[in-house]
Amino acid sequence: MLKGNYGEALELCERSVSEASACGVGQVVNFLAHFGALSAKIIVLLHTGQFGKVLQITKAGRASPDENLSLYWLLTLREAWLRTLAFDFEGARQICQASSNARGRVSRRTVLRG
């Protein structure tokens, strides 16, 4: 990726995301491998102007904060970053506001379950 071999880097990132997902994201090591590969993939897609694919990845990953709150937060940051790059400042603000609201809902659920 750093050498500009975006096609090769994208293939490697996709393979790494698949492998990390197959192992499960519940363990810390698997989560870090999954998120690292996903982050690299997002960066490659940004460098190649594939903003639509980045948006698909971030929206899919942010679908449920209950499944993995850490991944939700990190992909929220990525989507807000993408929207800022596209000069969609209002969209970035809305994403951040929605994630703030989700934090409150998840915190209340955790307290109620505990």
Side-chain angles (χ1 to χ4, degrees):
M1 172 179 62
L2 296 176
K3 293 181 179 180
N5 298 330
Y6 297 120
E8 183 181 331
L10 189 57
E11 288 177 24
L12 180 60
C13 291
E14 288 175 349
R15 194 171 346 122
S16 297
V17 167
S18 294
E19 290 172 4
S21 295
C23 293
V25 186
Q27 299 172 347
V28 173
V29 173
N30 293 341
F31 169 75
L32 293 175
H34 180 264
F35 184 71
L38 196 59
S39 291
K41 181 177 179 178
I42 289 171
I43 291 170
V44 169
L45 292 171
L46 287 172
H47 279 259
T48 56
Q50 299 180 57
F51 289 7
K53 288 185 180 180
V54 174
L55 188 59
Q56 288 174 339
I57 292 168
T58 58
K59 282 189 172 190
R62 292 182 336 100
S64 177
D66 291 334
E67 288 181 27
N68 188 326
L69 190 58
S70 297
L71 186 61
Y72 173 83
W73 287 113
L74 295 168
L75 289 174
T76 296
L77 173 63
R78 296 286 195 250
E79 187 171 337
W81 177 32
L82 168 66
R83 290 182 180 277
T84 301
L85 289 174
F87 300 104
D88 179 11
F89 302 116
E90 179 60 24
R93 187 193 65 74
Q94 289 175 2
I95 293 288
C96 293
Q97 183 63 45
S99 69
S100 178
N101 294 340
R103 181 187 63 183
R105 288 192 312 269
V106 171
S107 297
R108 282 191 292 277
R109 284 187 202 134
T110 303
V111 169
L112 292 174
R113 287 182 197 159

